[in-house]
């Protein structure tokens, strides 16, 4: 396994649409090594999510987790999960604003509006279809990571730009 370099805002790969992964490539384990590296890299940087383009690989896959012990107080726990070729269907027209940050946009955070509840369809890392409903912080995480597959970063979605702030003291 290896800790991969996390690309920062300004890298072309973060602004390109990533390409679909074929399910038979997942079934044959062709991405297993890459997914292991993604897991090791996310753990190294204490991330909540990490999308393939963030480590310079333009494919439609990301890793995420929801740890209710950290900032997502009261959230449902989601173990480390890889989603491939995800699609979304909004289930609640209400959008909610909350804080987001990103390993590719270090030292910043801002409030971002997101749909409160979505149905998610994707392939799992083994190539099997998955379908589930995500709400609140869980929905926010999967939508943030999914944006990376379309060349979008959370700053693009900030409505209240006065909320953009540094998270460290210089
Ligand atoms: Ni991000």
């Amino acid at each position: 396994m290896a800790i991969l370099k996390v690309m920062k805002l300004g890298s072309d790969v973060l602004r390109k649409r990533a390409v679909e992964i074929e399910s038979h490539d997942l079934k044959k384990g062709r991405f297993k090594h890459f997914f292991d590296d993604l897991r090791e890299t996310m753990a190294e940087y204490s991330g909540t999510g990490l999308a393939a383009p963030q480590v310079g690989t333009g494919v439609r896959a990301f890793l995420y987790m929801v740890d209710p012990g950290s900032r997502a107080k009261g959230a449902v726990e989601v173990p480390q999960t890889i989603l491939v070729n995800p699609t979304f269907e909004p289930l609640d027209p209400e959008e909610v604003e909350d804080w987001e940050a990103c390993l590719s946009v270090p030292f910043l955070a801002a409030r971002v509006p997101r749909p409160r509840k979505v149905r998610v369809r994707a392939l799992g890392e083994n190539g099997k279809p998955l379908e589930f409903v995500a709400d609140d912080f869980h929905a926010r995480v999967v939508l943030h990571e999914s944006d990376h597959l379309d060349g979008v970063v959370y700053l693009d979605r900030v409505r209240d730009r006065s909320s953009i702030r540094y998270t460290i003291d210089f």
Side-chain angles (χ1 to χ4, degrees), residues 18-21 31 34-35 51-53 56-62 85 149:
V19 298
E20 271 77 13
I21 293 177
F31 284 85
F34 175 67
F35 292 154
T57 301
V59 296
R60 302 185 77 77
F62 62 80
N85 305 341
L149 311 182

Side-chain angles (χ1 to χ4, degrees), residues 21-70:
I21 293 177
E22 303 280 350
S23 69
H24 71 259
D25 285 332
L26 296 169
K27 286 172 184 158
K28 292 195 164 166
R30 289 187 178 132
F31 284 85
K32 188 184 177 305
H33 186 84
F34 175 67
F35 292 154
D36 285 343
D37 288 349
L38 214 51
R39 278 186 272 266
E40 191 175 4
T41 305
M42 190 171 91
E44 172 71 14
Y45 296 108
S46 305
T48 295
L50 188 61
Q54 290 184 274
V55 293
T57 301
V59 296
R60 302 185 77 77
F62 62 80
L63 167 67
Y64 77 101
M65 61 184 288
V66 176
D67 173 8
S70 59

